[in-house]
Amino acid sequence: MKTRSLMTSLIAGSLVLGSSAAVFAGQKANCDRDSRQEQRAEKRLERMTEKLALTPDQQAAIKTLWQQQTKPERSAMSRNGLQGLDPNAEDYGRQVQRHIEQAQQQMAQHMQARADHKAALYDILTPEQEQKLEQMRDRSDRHKGKGYHDRGAE
């Protein structure tokens, strides 16, 4: 009887410790992701400062702008997509339409947030810096998607 009680306690203890370790690992992964995002933002600001000759005031304003920017939340409906829907349900068409409308609304919100962010950034920059930034973006856009194998195709 004591052996059985001991075994039950050991199993219960290992389950608690195992789940605690899994939760801690998930939290650590989020911290690592946040740290990497901050490092990328710092590098990006350094490159912009170098290329656009940003003043310290502009650097601070851009950093504040980036910190205020938030990632859009995705609802459970959009995360699960159409997987949770039953094609045999009577209102299947209405459910699909609801998903479509929600996706359109989220896309519109995302595009508006990007437009607002760009406008705020351009409020910080001088006209010359804006022009230089556009040139940098044009060059970047031309190089996107051009891997090693695409070099001979031009």
Side-chain angles (χ1 to χ4, degrees), residues 18 58 67-68 90-92 122 128 131 138 151:
Q58 287 176 315
Q67 289 170 347
Q68 291 171 349
E90 287 183 32
D91 65 340
Y92 180 70
Y122 275 51
E128 295 81 20
Q131 193 173 26
D138 288 344
R151 291 183 185 175

Side-chain angles (χ1 to χ4, degrees), residues 4-142:
R4 186 177 218 175
S5 176
L6 180 63
M7 290 297 282
T8 305
S9 296
L10 286 174
I11 291 171
S14 63
L15 287 174
V16 168
L17 287 174
S19 62
S20 297
V23 167
F24 179 73
Q27 290 173 343
K28 187 174 185 298
N30 285 340
C31 290
D32 290 345
R33 185 180 332 129
D34 292 344
S35 175
R36 285 191 308 266
Q37 286 175 340
E38 287 176 21
Q39 289 172 352
R40 280 193 304 267
E42 287 295 327
K43 285 278 191 196
R44 186 174 171 205
L45 186 58
E46 287 173 17
R47 283 192 307 270
M48 285 181 70
T49 299
E50 178 185 322
K51 302 278 185 187
L52 302 176
L54 297 176
T55 66
D57 288 342
Q58 287 176 315
Q59 291 176 38
I62 290 171
K63 199 171 192 174
T64 301
L65 176 66
W66 288 349
Q67 289 170 347
Q68 291 171 349
Q69 187 179 13
T70 59
K71 293 274 185 198
E73 290 293 321
R74 293 181 63 191
S75 71
M77 185 182 285
S78 67
R79 273 194 308 272
N80 297 334
L82 301 176
Q83 291 177 344
L85 301 183
D86 178 10
N88 297 321
E90 287 183 32
D91 65 340
Y92 180 70
R94 277 196 309 258
Q95 291 178 25
V96 170
Q97 191 60 40
R98 246 191 355 253
H99 276 274
I100 292 170
E101 290 167 1
Q102 185 180 29
Q104 289 172 333
Q105 182 181 18
Q106 287 175 344
M107 178 62 78
Q109 289 171 348
H110 178 73
M111 289 177 75
Q112 185 63 54
R114 286 182 57 118
D116 292 346
H117 178 79
K118 184 175 181 178
L121 177 63
Y122 275 51
D123 285 344
I124 296 168
L125 301 176
T126 65
E128 295 81 20
Q129 289 170 326
E130 291 174 13
Q131 193 173 26
K132 177 71 174 172
L133 182 62
E134 284 302 317
Q135 290 171 355
M136 290 167 49
R137 286 184 176 162
D138 288 344
R139 257 186 256 129
S140 173
D141 287 346
R142 274 185 273 147

